[in-house]
Amino acid sequence: SSFLLLSLSCSDYLALPAVGMEIKNRLKDENISLSLPSQRVDRFDENIANILGGNRQGSLTFAPEAGTQRMRDIINKGLTNEELLRGVKTAHEQGWDKVKLYFMIGLPGETDIDVLGIAETIRWLQQECSTPGRRKLSFNVTISNFTPKPHTPFQWHSVSTSEFERKQKLLRQEFRTIRGLKANFTDVRLSAMEDFVGRGDRRLSVVIRRAWELGAGMDAWWESLDRAFAAWTQAIAESGLTWKYRQVESGEWNLIEGTSQPNSSLNSNSANQPENSSALIEKPIPHPSLDAPLSWDHIDTGIDKQWLKADLQRALEAAVVPDCSFEGCSHCGVCGADFGHNVVIQPLPIPQFEGHFKPNQERVQRLRVWFGKQGDMTLVSHLDMVRLFDRAVRRAALPIAFTGGFHPSPRISIANALSLGASSSGEIVDFELTKTVDLAEFQEKLVAALPADVPIYRVEAIAPTAASATKLLERAEYYIAVHALTDSPSDATPLLAAQWQDWIEMVKGAKEIYLEQTTKSGKVKQVNLCDRFFELSLVGDAECQNLPSDILHYQAESQAILRYVGSCRNDGSLLRPEQIVFMLEQMAQRQFQLLHTHRSQLFLSSVGVE
Ligand code: SF4
């Protein structure tokens, strides 16, 4: 499990090292890693490395944003090459072999040299961080396309899909020459949609509604992108707008180009392309259109528009504005009676690092627990059940033993995976503990930490040397609700118990019912299901009433509830409920539908049980 400190920029929180270290120390005896979404590389030091490191070292993400110092100054990133190198080097020295980096292209004032500077920066970092005998530092790089946002100095900036594409191509070519680099580029269509919506006016509401009607939604998901982009394109066209509608109407998006002339592409007939014109900035030129009203001007964020204009000018001159938390106020307008004042609280001292989690591998007591899976919990997968027990044990503060190695995991072992959707009143799970715990106390604590739909029936102590339930498992008893399918509704005459009985007897009498199975290695083999079959019977009405509600619920809908016992071994030889249905189909020469499966018992071999 992991403990994530979630915020947009948690490194800005000055007390992060102190708070992070305190959390890390408190979780010292738990198998929980601490992670942060992304952090300021200039604040990454040994303390943060200790907080994030350990056996379950999480991934590390830094966001230098731009590839050259000049660009980082334009966007006022406040990060020098030296700081970037120091942070990445510290990460490498502290054991990270892979670092995620986040960059943007299409920033105001960006030239091709700045774009290629991203590749240059990665190459330089790799070279500077190379250590003899150590694996080369590798990078996962995300390149996103800058889309300006309202209420920022770049709210006037124009972006261009074709420029994004050209720069992506340039960078892709350059990346090919770098080993140990995995790059991920944001789809330009996503950026076009983001930009269109990001700086829209009232006319946008019709487009948004129409795009949604046409199937847009979850647009950032790669599998939704084609559909979303087509929906947006159609919705924009139907509204009589174009992808660059604001630019076409007022031209203001080009005002920080190297020319103050209105955009020559206004008459372009490619207006339906997601194309906002842009050009590289040679020299910042103030433009009277900066004073034109913007559709979000009526929203007061506290920041003065005049200040944004001045800040844009400063940005284009690559003048760094210091962080007002520490140095000088540039009078942006936020501080005052409405929003209060910028107050910096000095962080608490960083506690002493008490070391990483050391898994306790001692095994003193083994407990075998019988549990059920009912109601909504039937929809929880096997893997999630494993996690559920892990969390429950931790919540209940039970002294669970751990495996060793690089990825220590709690010694909790579920005897056999139950198919998704099946209910059960007979599952088994083994626990190994570092201390002896009273059985009743163990059960009580575990029940309190588990959902009510995972009932605990009993707990037994087994010898520390005994074989696990996984190894001892031999057979399983199931109740299945089955329905006989008919060719047409008119044939749907109720089947008599005697008819079911006949089919059951045929299955029981059969010596060979083969099923073709493909092994993991792709080999096709014929499996005789009769070898895995032990018992089959029709459950009478009286017996049905004693069944758990999960299967009883299907009594009316199904035509029969059958009980069977089949092989259930973890070496792959098991008789699944669908296979019993297959056996019935082979004998009765008709089709059946399996409505529900309930596992009522697991049988362990008595050999090895102490
Ligand atoms: S101190 Fe307040 S007014 Fe001054 S720049 Fe910072 S946020 Fe703006």
Side-chain angles (χ1 to χ4, degrees), residues 302-303 307 321-325 327-336 340-342:
I303 301 178
W307 184 88
V321 180
D323 184 341
C324 61
S325 306
E327 291 168 58
C329 164
S330 63
H331 306 285
C332 74
V334 167
C335 293
H341 289 271
N342 203 354

Side-chain angles (χ1 to χ4, degrees), residues 366-404:
R366 288 186 70 183
L367 299 179
R368 184 152 294 159
V369 174
W370 280 259
F371 72 98
K373 208 176 163 201
Q374 57 196 35
D376 289 347
M377 290 307 291
T378 57
L379 301 173
V380 171
S381 72
H382 176 66
L383 215 58
D384 283 331
M385 282 304 288
V386 175
R387 292 192 192 109
L388 179 80
F389 279 117
D390 178 9
R391 287 178 190 153
V393 160
R394 195 174 307 140
R395 271 199 296 271
L398 291 163
I400 195 76
F402 281 87
T403 60

Side-chain angles (χ1 to χ4, degrees), residues 6-50:
L6 202 58
S7 91
L8 208 52
S9 176
C10 42
S11 312
D12 284 342
Y13 175 46
L14 297 178
L16 180 72
V19 172
M21 193 61 86
E22 181 63 32
I23 297 172
K24 176 82 182 180
N25 286 343
R26 288 195 196 185
L27 296 176
K28 190 166 68 77
D29 298 326
E30 311 276 346
N31 190 26
I32 299 175
S33 65
L34 216 77
S35 43
L36 301 170
S38 152
Q39 58 239 276
R40 282 175 57 159
V41 64
D42 53 331
R43 297 214 178 137
F44 187 82
D45 58 10
E46 227 170 282
N47 282 319
I48 303 283
N50 279 334

Side-chain angles (χ1 to χ4, degrees), residues 211-231:
W212 169 73
E213 282 169 358
L214 292 167
M218 311 293 275
D219 297 354
W221 287 30
W222 60 270
E223 75 245 35
S224 315
L225 191 54
D226 288 345
R227 192 190 56 220
F229 188 68

Side-chain angles (χ1 to χ4, degrees), residues 184-391:
N184 166 41
F185 289 83
T186 305
D187 196 299
V188 290
R189 293 170 298 172
L190 206 59
S191 308
M193 294 189 276
E194 199 178 302
D195 188 47
F196 185 86
V197 178
R199 292 183 295 181
D201 56 24
R202 289 186 175 89
R203 286 166 297 172
L204 212 62
S205 48
V206 182
V207 183
I208 294 174
R209 187 191 165 91
R210 186 66 187 131
W212 169 73
E213 282 169 358
L214 292 167
M218 311 293 275
D219 297 354
W221 287 30
W222 60 270
E223 75 245 35
S224 315
L225 191 54
D226 288 345
R227 192 190 56 220
F229 188 68
W232 279 102
T233 304
Q234 189 181 332
I236 290 168
E238 282 180 16
S239 308
L241 299 173
T242 71
W243 277 104
K244 48 184 182 178
Y245 76 108
R246 291 197 57 81
Q247 180 188 45
V248 171
E249 300 230 333
S250 49
E252 67 255 43
W253 303 129
N254 281 315
L255 50 81
I256 56 171
E257 288 184 5
T259 165
S260 60
Q261 294 305 306
N263 178 14
S264 59
S265 72
L266 289 185
N267 299 322
S268 154
N269 49 18
S270 62
N272 279 324
Q273 297 301 308
E275 179 68 30
N276 294 326
S277 168
S278 128
L280 304 178
I281 299 165
E282 305 281 301
K283 194 153 60 107
I285 297 176
H287 192 281
S289 295
L290 282 173
D291 294 321
L294 295 168
S295 48
W296 49 87
D297 275 352
H298 61 288
I299 300 168
D300 183 12
T301 59
I303 301 178
D304 187 357
K305 194 172 173 187
Q306 293 307 322
W307 184 88
L308 288 177
K309 272 193 264 178
D311 200 49
L312 169 67
Q313 189 66 33
R314 281 192 293 263
L316 297 176
E317 286 162 5
V320 177
V321 180
D323 184 341
C324 61
S325 306
F326 308 105
E327 291 168 58
C329 164
S330 63
H331 306 285
C332 74
V334 167
C335 293
D338 290 347
F339 292 98
H341 289 271
N342 203 354
V343 178
V344 177
I345 310 271
Q346 287 310 314
L348 294 166
I350 304 167
Q352 190 74 32
F353 175 48
E354 293 173 15
H356 294 299
F357 164 72
K358 282 198 192 70
N360 188 342
Q361 295 179 48
E362 212 177 334
R363 289 186 268 167
V364 174
Q365 188 183 32
R366 288 186 70 183
L367 299 179
R368 184 152 294 159
V369 174
W370 280 259
F371 72 98
K373 208 176 163 201
Q374 57 196 35
D376 289 347
M377 290 307 291
T378 57
L379 301 173
V380 171
S381 72
H382 176 66
L383 215 58
D384 283 331
M385 282 304 288
V386 175
R387 292 192 192 109
L388 179 80
F389 279 117
D390 178 9
R391 287 178 190 153

Side-chain angles (χ1 to χ4, degrees), residues 72 202 309 333 362 447 456-457 473 477 581:
R72 284 201 295 272
R202 289 186 175 89
K309 272 193 264 178
E362 212 177 334
V447 168
I456 300 294
Y457 303 118
L473 186 60
E477 178 189 60
V581 171

